[in-house]
Structures are given as structure tokens and as C-alpha cells.
Amino acid sequence: MKQGKRFIEASKLVDMTKSYEPQEAMQLVVNTATAKFDESIELHVRLGVDSRHADQQVRGVVVLPHGTGKTKKVLVIAKGAKADEASAAGADYVGGEEYINKIKNENWFDFDVCVTTPEMMGLVGRIGKLLGPKGLMPNPKSGTVTMDVAKAVNEIKAGKVEYRLDKTNIIHVAIGKKSFGSEKLMDNFNTIFDAILKAKPAAAKGQYVKSVSVSSTMGPGVRLAVKM
């Protein structure tokens, strides 16, 4: 694959054979984010578990102290008082069956997170095949199926992120923007990494964390030397 001049120059700053201390790695990933826009910074954690087994899944949610740098649009499927609570909390879209139909008939996905109440899951389930592949299906484990819709909306707006294992046993999660600087990125990294460590499945055997790296949208990966 042909690499751009900017990427090649940025890669010269990183020793690919070395694992850096987290603080140094955060500064490096900021220094190598040289695009003209505010690049996102993403954490990649490869785990020694097998995602094919239900008892080795790693998934959870956490509110990052400095958020992700992106304001998420929230759709709340609710009715009555719960709909009013969601609106008051700042949800971008609030409604019931009209939004189910809008998604189904118009292929509308102008939102980043969908929150609903348990009583509305029957309706939401009708479009599960549409929401699921896009990672938008509400789930109790991620706090998006709840009676406390106001709390859910507030946490999402404050920087709540979900982390989950993919099919290759790696967690990919955004931890901020280049403009955050290394200190804020470090705070966010510590919060999410601690959560991943605490989420270690009882069925996991051997080395839990295989490797950890961070990268910017357009920059090279930087490996971290982490203590478990």
C-alpha cells in the first residue's frame, strides 16, 4: 500500500521496535498527528481471550473525564414522562413509533446513540436488523436500555464511551482529539484502560493484555509499555 509523504515523515518520529511509556506515547501520538484537521486519537488493546466464547467477552462503558471531543447525537425512543425527561436532558431526538418508521422506511440514521426504555424494546426490536450492523442497537449492558433516560443522555453527552471486543480480540476505542494534548489524553487513557483491566473475564487464561497502542486518524501507531 502506498503511503503518503506526511505519514512517512510522521513515522520517522516513532521507533516501531520500541514500546513507550504511556506519557511519552501520548506526546508522540500528538506530535505525529500532522493533518490539517483535529485528528481523533484511538486506543487499541489486543487481549488474550477468545471472542468466540460467551464467557470470554469483554464489554463495558465508561465516562471519560475529558470526553472524546465529539458531541454525539442521541435518539431516545420513549413515551410519556420518560420522553419529557429525555427532552429536558438534552436528547437530540425524542419520540416513539414515528422514529421506528423513519428508520425503517427512510433509512434514517442521523444519530450516534439510541437510548430506549424496557417497555419500548418490543418496538425497537422490529428494526434490530437495521440498528445492529451499525452498532446502534440499545443494550442493557451499555446502559442504553434504561428507565433513567435522563442519566443515560447526560452521560453520553458528557463523554460516555462503550468498549467491546471485536472478532480479532482487539478493543478499539476513541480517547480524544489531538487538541486535547498529552495530559488530557493520559487521563482518558488511564480511565478506559483501568476499566478494561477490571473487566477481565474469569474464564480468561494466560496473558490477558497482549499489546496496547495508540494512533491518530492519519498517523502511525505507537506501542505502549503498560504494567498490568
Side-chain angles (χ1 to χ4, degrees), residues 11-168:
S11 296
K12 292 178 181 178
L13 300 175
V14 182
D15 183 346
M16 297 300 179
T17 67
K18 178 181 177 180
S19 293
Y20 294 87
E21 291 300 316
Q23 188 72 49
E24 186 179 4
M26 295 305 156
Q27 188 59 59
L28 256 180
V29 80
V30 169
N31 292 345
T32 54
T34 57
K36 294 181 180 180
F37 62 93
D38 192 10
E39 296 183 51
S40 293
I41 308 299
E42 193 168 81
L43 173 69
H44 313 274
V45 183
R46 185 165 69 91
L47 299 179
V49 296
D50 190 340
S51 61
R52 294 174 296 178
H53 300 291
D55 62 355
Q56 294 188 45
Q57 289 295 320
V58 180
R59 179 179 185 175
V61 293
V62 66
V63 177
L64 299 179
H66 304 291
T68 63
K70 177 183 178 182
T71 301
K72 293 184 176 181
K73 291 184 180 180
V74 182
L75 164 65
V76 177
I77 305 295
K79 61 182 180 180
K82 293 302 172 183
D84 294 337
E85 290 175 19
S87 295
D92 299 275
Y93 309 103
V94 181
E97 197 158 4
E98 69 271 25
Y99 279 106
I100 301 294
N101 293 331
K102 188 175 180 68
I103 292 168
K104 182 179 179 180
N105 300 326
E106 301 176 24
N107 199 37
W108 177 79
F109 293 101
D110 187 29
F111 56 95
D112 302 298
V113 183
C114 181
V115 176
T116 190
T117 56
E119 66 175 351
M120 300 296 283
M121 273 301 290
L123 280 176
V124 177
R126 297 178 189 175
I127 54 171
K129 290 183 178 180
L130 298 175
L131 296 176
K134 294 181 178 294
L136 295 171
M137 186 67 182
N139 188 299
K141 291 182 178 179
S142 64
T144 48
V145 178
T146 176
M147 289 301 290
D148 197 345
V149 292
K151 179 182 178 183
V153 172
N154 285 328
E155 288 185 342
I156 292 165
K157 292 292 187 179
K160 180 179 180 180
V161 295
E162 180 180 8
Y163 60 88
R164 61 187 303 178
L165 207 61
D166 69 7
K167 292 180 180 179
T168 61

Side-chain angles (χ1 to χ4, degrees), residues 140-199:
K141 291 182 178 179
S142 64
T144 48
V145 178
T146 176
M147 289 301 290
D148 197 345
V149 292
K151 179 182 178 183
V153 172
N154 285 328
E155 288 185 342
I156 292 165
K157 292 292 187 179
K160 180 179 180 180
V161 295
E162 180 180 8
Y163 60 88
R164 61 187 303 178
L165 207 61
D166 69 7
K167 292 180 180 179
T168 61
N169 305 317
I170 300 175
I171 290 173
H172 306 276
V173 61
I175 59 170
K177 296 279 190 178
K178 173 190 176 180
S179 59
F180 281 22
S182 61
E183 293 300 326
K184 288 184 178 180
L185 288 173
M186 192 67 198
D187 288 343
N188 281 355
F189 163 73
N190 285 332
T191 299
I192 189 73
F193 191 63
D194 285 348
I196 292 171
L197 292 181
K198 290 176 182 177

Side-chain angles (χ1 to χ4, degrees), residues 202-221:
K205 305 297 182 183
Q207 185 179 357
Y208 178 50
V209 177
K210 293 285 189 178
S211 66
V212 181
S213 64
V214 288
S215 63
S216 61
T217 305
M218 305 294 288

